[in-house]
Amino acid sequence: GFILDEKNDRLLCFYRGQKADRTCYGYINQGAYRAFYSISVDQGATWSIPVQIVDGRDDYDTICWGPNLKYGQRGGIMAGKECVWLDDGTLVAPFTEYERLDGKPWVFKVFCARGRWQEGGTDLEWIFGNPIQIPSEQATSGCCEPTIASLGGNRLFITMRCQGGEKEEIYSTKYSALSEDGGMTWTNSEPLLYDDGTAVWSPASSSSFIRSSRTSKTYWIANILDGPVFGQTPRYPLNLAEFDPITTRILKDSVRLIQDRPDDAHELVRYTNFGNYEDRKTGDLIVTLPEQY
């Protein structure tokens, strides 16, 4: 992912580091996930050497790079395109925390790292916040794939992908939480709701907030369904809906279709794992949407 600091005219690019390991599930050592970033001060013509994101407090380094994070044992994937700037110029980067599996079930947590420009603006100093945990009676594998909406000042709203399970009789749900301190601590997580108080049904899939400079409104892009499901499908239709930053709810009457399943498509076709950004000239929303099976 990329993000532009418009105030300082600096462009950041984020990278995921990982290690292939044939002794691990899927040949990827989830505990080896780490995040790196580069900075460009000339509009992307040249870039600094990638630097690892490490909690700047004592006792942390490139191996033990944050609370409970250790290379090879417990890692984290940064949601690069979901980063947001606070009003004070601080960057908030959401992470999914992973543990090396070795036959264990998936259990995810979410946390945020805050990056503040050092004097001179050539690097960022980072501090990691407290993790969000969803208990097993609410989601079978915790929470992951976060997206953040800025509510002004240090106030943030986060929603996350949470897997259900038919055996456990748990529906897949987008659990959400509120932060008053720029992502360092969060309220207890609650299901995402419409403005009429009813549940927003969605499979275990990614979503994204985006604020329009043209309308000054915040929108949520997600697979929004008519009813609940236990798992990760169907991942259609893909919809756009307006988010109310005052009530932190989705406006039900604003839901609009982006892409539904074509009549001749496979029943398991997926419209998911998309990219999105605003065209800087027109203000139009651009969604880069793969069709997946």
Side-chain angles (χ1 to χ4, degrees):
F2 292 82
I3 191 167
L4 175 66
D5 182 349
E6 295 185 16
K7 293 180 180 179
N8 296 295
D9 196 27
R10 286 175 171 81
L11 184 63
L12 280 77
C13 177
F14 303 107
Y15 311 88
R16 184 178 81 194
Q18 62 189 48
K19 179 183 178 181
D21 183 346
R22 288 184 178 272
T23 68
C24 196
Y25 177 85
Y27 291 27
I28 298 297
N29 181 346
Q30 292 84 356
Y33 289 143
R34 292 183 291 183
F36 299 79
Y37 67 100
S38 293
I39 302 169
S40 176
V41 297
D42 53 13
Q43 300 181 347
T46 61
W47 293 89
S48 64
I49 296 172
V51 175
Q52 185 182 338
I53 295 177
V54 176
D55 192 312
R57 293 172 291 188
D58 292 342
D59 300 326
Y60 298 121
D61 53 31
T62 57
I63 302 301
C64 296
W65 53 280
N68 301 313
L69 297 165
K70 185 176 182 181
Y71 180 67
Q73 296 181 16
R74 189 179 293 273
I77 289 182
M78 177 182 174
K81 74 181 182 69
E82 306 301 334
C83 297
V84 296
W85 296 103
L86 299 180
D87 291 350
D88 65 0
T90 303
L91 178 67
V92 179
F95 280 78
T96 298
E97 184 178 313
Y98 284 75
E99 184 178 9
R100 178 177 173 129
L101 288 178
D102 289 335
K104 293 177 286 188
W106 293 102
V107 178
F108 307 117
K109 301 176 186 177
V110 164
F111 69 91
C112 287
R114 285 183 61 175
R116 187 183 301 275
W117 288 112
Q118 295 178 353
E119 188 174 350
T122 59
D123 204 357
L124 292 161
E125 294 178 334
W126 297 90
I127 184 170
F128 292 10
N130 294 337
I132 301 173
Q133 302 183 60
I134 306 294
S136 58
E137 60 267 22
Q138 294 177 325
T140 58
S141 54
C143 53
C144 64
E145 297 180 8
T147 183
I148 296 178
S150 175
L151 306 180
N154 286 326
R155 302 184 73 239
L156 299 170
F157 182 78
I158 195 170
T159 188
M160 301 157 288
R161 172 187 187 266
C162 296
Q163 174 85 36
E166 188 169 4
K167 183 178 67 174
E168 297 84 358
E169 298 183 344
I170 300 172
Y171 291 126
S172 295
T173 306
K174 295 290 190 292
Y175 273 93
S176 305
L178 184 67
S179 176
E180 301 283 354
D181 57 7
M184 296 294 95
T185 61
W186 297 89
T187 60
N188 291 332
S189 299
E190 300 287 345
L192 183 64
L193 300 176
Y194 287 116
D195 53 331
D196 64 1
T198 59
V200 177
W201 296 118
S202 182
S205 63
S206 61
S207 64
S208 184
F209 285 111
I210 186 167
R211 188 177 187 276
S212 169
S213 66
R214 200 163 77 183
T215 68
S216 298
K217 295 179 179 179
T218 298
Y219 301 92
W220 187 58
I221 306 172
N223 300 121
I224 301 175
L225 307 180
D226 292 333
V229 295
F230 292 112
Q232 301 181 13
T233 57
R235 292 195 185 183
Y236 58 80
L238 184 69
N239 300 93
L240 174 78
E242 186 179 339
F243 170 74
D244 185 341
I246 304 300
T247 63
T248 64
R249 293 187 175 185
I250 301 297
L251 302 185
K252 196 169 189 176
D253 289 343
S254 73
V255 176
R256 297 292 182 269
L257 176 67
I258 296 176
Q259 177 66 48
D260 205 346
R261 182 177 74 90
D263 291 338
D264 59 350
H266 192 279
E267 64 178 4
L268 295 181
V269 69
R270 295 183 172 195
Y271 297 103
T272 184
N273 295 16
F274 52 87
N276 56 275
Y277 63 94
E278 182 180 89
D279 186 291
R280 295 175 66 187
K281 292 183 178 179
T282 66
D284 290 341
L285 169 64
I286 309 299
V287 178
T288 56
L289 179 61
E291 182 180 69
Q292 300 176 336
Y293 288 86

